[in-house]
Amino acid sequence: MSTYTQVEKNGLFQLTDAARAELISSKYYNEDLAPTSVSQRTWTTYNISMLWVGMAICLPSLTLATGLVTAGISPWLAILNVAIGNLIILIPIQLNSQIGCKYGLSFPGLARLTFGSRGAQIPVLSRAITACGWVSVQAWVGGGAVAAIIGCFIHKFSDQNWTINLPSWGGIQSHSAGTFIGYAIFFAVMTWIAYKGINKIKLIQNIGGPLLLILLVGLFIWSLKIGNDAGFSFAEIMSQKSTLSGKSFAAAYLAGLMGNIAFWAMMSLSIPDFSRYAKSQKAQFKGQLYGMPIPMTFCAFIGAFYAQSATMFNTANGLNQGDPDWYDPFDVISVLYNIDNKIIVLITAIGVMAATLTTCVSANMVAPANGFTNVSPTKISYKRGVLITMFISFFVLQAWWIYGSGNEAYLIWLNAYGSVLAPLAAIFIADYFICKHRRIDVAGLFKGADGRYWYSNGFNPAAIISWAAAFVLPLFTYFGMDGSFWEIINSVSYIWSFIIGFILYVLLMQTKMGKSSYVTSEEHESFTERIL
């Protein structure tokens, strides 16, 4: 009788039919969390590139650069900030992608490998709840686009005086009724796409990606126009210097860099949810290399150029916020929605809706859906996970409440969760590449107490200690701690958490905490069948 539990074909692993049949009865297994077979890994470089184009080109991507420019950073330095931040975060994204592609594992599977069968709930639910917040926020943005489209035909939807009182955690809040109705419509569409599964997402990416690039070109032309209207050329706009200097410049620039890195902190964890469908390591590597940093830098260029154009237009014409012709340097979309030209509004709103759909479904709905499935694999399927995500996002993490709390609260939340998630990515990478030498017993991830990844009663103490110790100091900075030491910690929060988590985990895994989970090269060969 064969003792093989996994098969390797051209560097890609899958469970044997016998091992899969044996695992079906395990409470830690279901078809949604099961490793993908080699035949299921069909995503090409183009598919993965379009996945990232769809996720990268969105409103928050534009505001990464517009926020830096409005803070006093020059356009070219703002673009450089975004480019550097995305190249840095691409490293953990690429490393964790390799695991998903090679073994067909989802993010919950990777979490079990490192945190244990039960402990996996810590990174999975941390990522899931954070993603639900993003689902809520981005659905509100998409709802604004829906309201703008309807408003082109029904004027009341564009009437900002038409408001509705909504109950929230902060009490009753008044918001645009048109936006709320658009939000509900957009939420329904987004939920339907995610519910249909991963292949429906791939179809949306392939269609939406090229459309979004066209939208960005349109935004650039519009920005060039308002700059020229103020009497400035492209070169004059882009050659503007930073208005900050010294410590204030350094603080703003480092804060922006940490924000840019943290922007994809969640995807650096859950990227195996997508890379497990990649055709090869080459396809996933090239797809992400082309699809993420290039569009993000392009978005930064468009955002920085618009912000500087709008600032110079306002200054040249003596305009202040609240004046009819004033352009908001931070929020280009709100300006375009209020233009008295239905064609421009329609094109912009359709582009924003497509951008938000592709980003939100891919980056923020798949991971929590899989995460909630991991809580009880025999009872919660991926589709039920989608519905749970929808419920929490809509009713618990209310978008109207998040927006009503002000930008400062929103930014604190963004940076804080980056500090919390950073060590998780570091621990995954350290575990797979340094501690376990890229050798995994795939079947053992679904056996619970009978598998090698049970650690101590289902939890890996080394992972939990490393994670908590890594983010505790950066988190203190949000609770009134001040002084030069805390300023330094806050300015490099993501990098600090990542490095501390990585080093501490490697050290702790040399103790008896984690050595029982190691697979020797001889063991790996004993349960792996090689097919040439």
Side-chain angles (χ1 to χ4, degrees):
M1 183 176 179
S2 174
T3 58
Y4 293 136
T5 59
Q6 57 194 41
V7 180
E8 184 264 328
K9 297 180 181 179
N10 299 320
L12 302 180
F13 289 73
Q14 66 180 29
L15 287 172
T16 62
D17 292 338
R20 194 176 290 267
E22 181 183 345
L23 292 172
I24 287 177
S25 60
S26 171
K27 70 176 184 178
Y28 293 96
Y29 180 93
N30 70 17
E31 288 302 319
D32 294 316
L33 292 179
T36 55
S37 64
V38 174
S39 63
Q40 289 177 302
R41 300 176 210 179
T42 59
W43 285 32
T44 63
T45 297
Y46 176 78
N47 297 141
I48 296 167
S49 292
M50 287 302 102
L51 168 77
W52 274 102
V53 168
M55 291 191 295
I57 301 178
C58 61
L59 291 185
S61 296
L62 292 174
T63 58
L64 290 174
T66 60
L68 285 166
V69 171
T70 55
I73 306 297
S74 70
W76 284 120
L77 286 179
I79 296 167
L80 181 63
N81 189 294
V82 175
I84 293 173
N86 279 274
L87 287 174
I88 290 173
I89 194 62
L90 184 60
I91 296 172
I93 288 174
Q94 289 279 22
L95 291 174
N96 281 326
S97 289
Q98 287 191 32
I99 309 171
C101 181
K102 183 176 181 178
Y103 287 98
L105 296 179
S106 63
F107 169 49
L110 177 58
R112 291 178 187 177
L113 174 71
T114 307
F115 276 77
S117 301
R118 291 175 173 172
Q121 307 299 353
I122 295 172
V124 166
L125 292 181
S126 296
R127 201 291 188 211
I129 297 301
T130 306
C132 286
W134 272 111
V135 169
S136 184
V137 167
Q138 293 197 322
W140 190 263
V141 172
V146 173
I149 293 171
I150 298 174
C152 290
F153 307 98
I154 304 175
H155 177 70
K156 194 169 183 65
F157 273 78
S158 299
D159 184 1
Q160 295 302 308
N161 293 321
W162 183 34
T163 60
I164 183 174
N165 291 325
L166 299 170
S168 76
W169 299 110
I172 300 298
Q173 293 181 331
S174 180
H175 287 277
S176 165
T179 298
F180 180 76
I181 295 172
Y183 171 66
I185 295 171
F186 185 86
F187 215 102
V189 172
M190 185 174 60
T191 302
W192 178 81
I193 293 172
Y195 190 83
K196 286 296 182 179
I198 199 76
N199 287 322
K200 184 66 66 177
I201 295 169
K202 184 174 73 171
L203 175 63
I204 294 294
Q205 305 296 347
N206 291 343
I207 296 173
L211 176 63
L212 303 178
L213 292 175
I214 294 171
L215 173 64
L216 278 190
V217 173
L219 291 177
F220 171 72
I221 294 172
W222 177 261
S223 302
L224 190 62
K225 176 185 179 301
I226 63 174
N228 288 338
D229 288 346
F232 300 102
S233 67
F234 169 81
E236 289 172 322
I237 294 169
M238 292 301 294
S239 64
Q240 296 299 303
K241 305 297 183 183
S242 300
T243 58
L244 298 177
S245 61
K247 287 185 64 176
S248 59
F249 173 85
Y253 207 74
L254 281 173
L257 185 61
M258 292 305 105
N260 279 303
I261 295 172
F263 188 76
W264 292 117
M266 292 189 298
M267 283 302 292
S268 71
L269 300 178
S270 59
I271 191 62
D273 285 335
F274 299 101
S275 66
R276 69 184 183 134
Y277 292 97
K279 197 170 185 178
S280 65
Q281 293 287 9
K282 184 178 179 181
Q284 68 86 10
F285 178 83
K286 291 172 64 177
Q288 296 189 101
L289 185 63
Y290 303 154
M292 195 270 262
I294 296 174
M296 286 297 293
T297 303
F298 186 47
C299 279
F301 169 73
I302 300 297
F305 182 66
Y306 168 77
Q308 193 64 57
S309 295
T311 299
M312 295 172 73
F313 177 91
N314 293 335
T315 301
N317 290 279
L319 299 172
N320 296 305
Q321 187 171 3
D323 293 338
D325 296 324
W326 185 79
Y327 290 111
D328 186 344
F330 182 75
D331 188 3
V332 58
I333 300 302
S334 66
V335 174
L336 294 179
Y337 282 169
N338 293 317
I339 291 174
D340 191 21
N341 185 314
K342 290 184 178 181
I343 294 177
I344 292 178
V345 172
L346 275 173
I347 292 173
T348 302
I350 291 171
V352 170
M353 188 173 175
T356 309
L357 270 175
T358 53
T359 301
C360 203
V361 172
S362 302
N364 300 319
M365 291 197 76
V366 173
N370 283 333
F372 293 125
T373 297
N374 189 63
V375 172
S376 181
T378 58
K379 296 179 181 179
I380 304 176
S381 65
Y382 165 80
K383 291 185 174 181
R384 288 184 178 178
V386 169
L387 296 179
I388 294 171
T389 300
M390 180 202 72
F391 180 86
I392 294 175
S393 301
F394 194 98
F395 293 104
V396 180
L397 297 171
Q398 309 149 334
W400 56 92
W401 169 60
I402 294 175
Y403 271 88
S405 299
N407 287 335
E408 184 178 351
Y410 171 77
L411 291 173
I412 289 174
W413 169 71
L414 177 66
N415 288 319
Y417 88 66
S419 300
V420 171
L421 298 185
L424 295 177
I427 289 167
F428 290 157
I429 293 167
D431 184 65
Y432 177 72
F433 288 96
I434 305 298
C435 300
K436 295 192 170 74
H437 302 285
R438 296 183 290 180
R439 293 189 291 265
I440 298 177
D441 173 8
V442 179
L445 294 168
F446 302 90
K447 292 182 178 180
D450 296 326
R452 71 175 70 238
Y453 303 113
W454 186 246
Y455 295 99
S456 176
N457 200 31
F459 296 86
N460 181 4
I464 297 171
I465 293 170
S466 301
W467 172 61
F471 73 73
V472 66
L473 289 184
L475 213 60
F476 275 161
T477 63
Y478 300 102
F479 295 96
M481 303 298 290
D482 54 17
S484 57
F485 172 77
W486 296 104
E487 288 178 6
I488 293 172
I489 294 294
N490 188 49
S491 67
V492 293
S493 56
Y494 186 94
I495 294 175
W496 169 278
S497 296
F498 189 97
I499 292 175
I500 296 299
F502 188 100
I503 294 174
L504 188 55
Y505 183 78
V506 171
L507 293 175
L508 290 177
M509 284 294 281
Q510 302 309 307
T511 70
K512 63 180 181 179
M513 289 184 186
K515 286 193 173 181
S516 61
S517 67
Y518 293 168
V519 178
T520 66
S521 57
E522 292 78 15
E523 285 180 301
H524 198 257
E525 287 299 315
S526 71
F527 55 70
T528 303
E529 180 182 7
R530 309 286 180 179
I531 298 180
L532 300 178

